Amino acid sequence: GNSVVLLLKLGQQMHMEQFRKGLLYMNPLKYFRDLESDPARADRYEGATHIFQPKDVIITLSAPGFGDIVIDSKDLAAATTMSKNSELCCNLFCLHAITAPVNGTLFPSEHEWFGDSMVLVLNTQEFLNRVVAAAKTRNLSGKCKLVEYFDDEAYTGKLDRFRKSKRFAHQREYRIAIDSPGDEPLVLDIGDITDITSEVLPFSDADNILKFSEDDARAAALTYDPGPGKP
């Protein structure tokens, strides 16, 4: 149901070569929640099912001999989250999605990125077809979609595997989430995909190699439809 023009995979050269062989290394969701030294990937909200801003929370605790203890917004310094162990039971494969023209640099230097290489998926639908087929062969279920981004300083509401803090919005993530019974890494073999991917390209040359601006699209006789009500 999402409009995805092109997918890119970013990472270390060795891992990008493995990707082109069709080996999708999928870390458990818990891995990203517990990361501390990797600002480009660490996310403490991974696995959370709800987030509550202090202004929206009143907590009442009852303890024998102490009566009711009320904790309201004045006593909370930051947002409160709720999590379920079941939400952590999945493995993730993350890609960068190009869903609209990009004017200017593709990977702005003011943001944290990861890896030294990249691979373009040249046929998005065929790639996803192979992912689905491989998952079905192993009796695995899951979901693929674009990640939505929320303001973690203002938003109160539900979260899931496809919602992340707005500080990651520049990553324009397309996420493949496979349900799993535990918290071990998963390697999903979808078969060789060199026929539908580019060669491994150096990340540092992204702006010289990749052109996704509106002018580039027009020069290639491509059109972009932003959808109803959008400029």
Side-chain angles (χ1 to χ4, degrees):
N2 297 130
S3 174
V4 176
V5 176
L6 189 66
L7 295 174
L8 297 89
K9 181 63 179 172
L10 312 180
Q12 298 300 326
Q13 181 177 358
M14 177 181 68
H15 298 151
M16 297 302 94
E17 296 288 358
Q18 292 176 345
F19 172 58
R20 296 195 74 218
K21 293 177 181 178
L23 301 176
L24 277 56
Y25 185 89
M26 309 178 75
N27 272 309
L29 187 147
K30 183 176 183 293
Y31 171 84
F32 300 100
R33 187 195 64 180
D34 295 343
L35 273 176
E36 294 182 357
S37 59
D38 188 345
R41 299 190 298 165
D43 184 3
R44 66 188 181 92
Y45 293 119
E46 291 283 19
T49 57
H50 296 79
I51 182 172
F52 304 96
Q53 298 300 323
K55 64 181 178 61
D56 300 314
V57 175
I58 296 178
I59 301 174
T60 302
L61 303 176
S62 296
F66 292 93
D68 290 343
I69 301 173
V70 178
I71 302 174
D72 62 20
S73 59
K74 299 189 300 295
D75 302 307
L76 298 174
T80 302
T81 60
M82 290 179 58
S83 302
K84 293 181 180 179
N85 289 335
S86 59
E87 188 65 18
L88 291 172
C89 293
C90 76
N91 291 74
L92 304 177
F93 192 77
C94 308
L95 301 107
H96 183 87
I98 303 295
T99 59
V102 179
N103 296 309
T105 185
L106 188 59
F107 302 110
S109 59
E110 64 265 26
H111 297 299
E112 296 282 351
W113 300 97
F114 35 84
D116 57 15
S117 302
M118 59 186 177
V119 170
L120 283 72
V121 177
L122 303 175
N123 188 329
T124 301
Q125 189 58 58
E126 177 59 21
F127 170 71
L128 295 177
N129 289 345
R130 296 183 192 184
V131 171
V132 171
K136 286 183 176 179
T137 298
R138 295 182 56 175
N139 293 318
L140 297 170
S141 62
K143 191 174 184 179
C144 312
K145 63 177 290 187
L146 287 166
V147 167
E148 298 177 13
Y149 298 95
F150 66 92
D151 186 343
D152 53 301
E153 296 182 352
Y155 175 69
T156 289
K158 292 183 178 180
L159 299 178
D160 58 33
R161 299 167 184 175
F162 297 93
R163 291 189 179 183
K164 292 176 65 68
S165 166
K166 67 177 183 179
R167 76 180 183 87
F168 296 103
H170 62 280
Q171 294 181 358
R172 297 194 289 268
E173 184 180 338
Y174 187 87
R175 173 171 283 192
I176 300 171
I178 300 294
D179 296 322
S180 57
D183 57 2
E184 296 298 322
L186 168 71
V187 178
L188 184 65
D189 187 349
I190 67 171
D192 186 280
I193 55 172
T194 54
D195 60 321
I196 57 169
T197 56
S198 72
E199 296 181 355
V200 177
L201 305 168
F203 182 81
S204 59
D205 287 346
D207 288 331
N208 297 324
I209 299 173
L210 307 177
K211 303 295 181 181
F212 297 125
S213 72
E214 295 176 19
D215 288 342
D216 295 316
R218 282 192 288 268
L222 300 175
T223 59
Y224 166 63
D225 181 5
K230 297 181 180 179

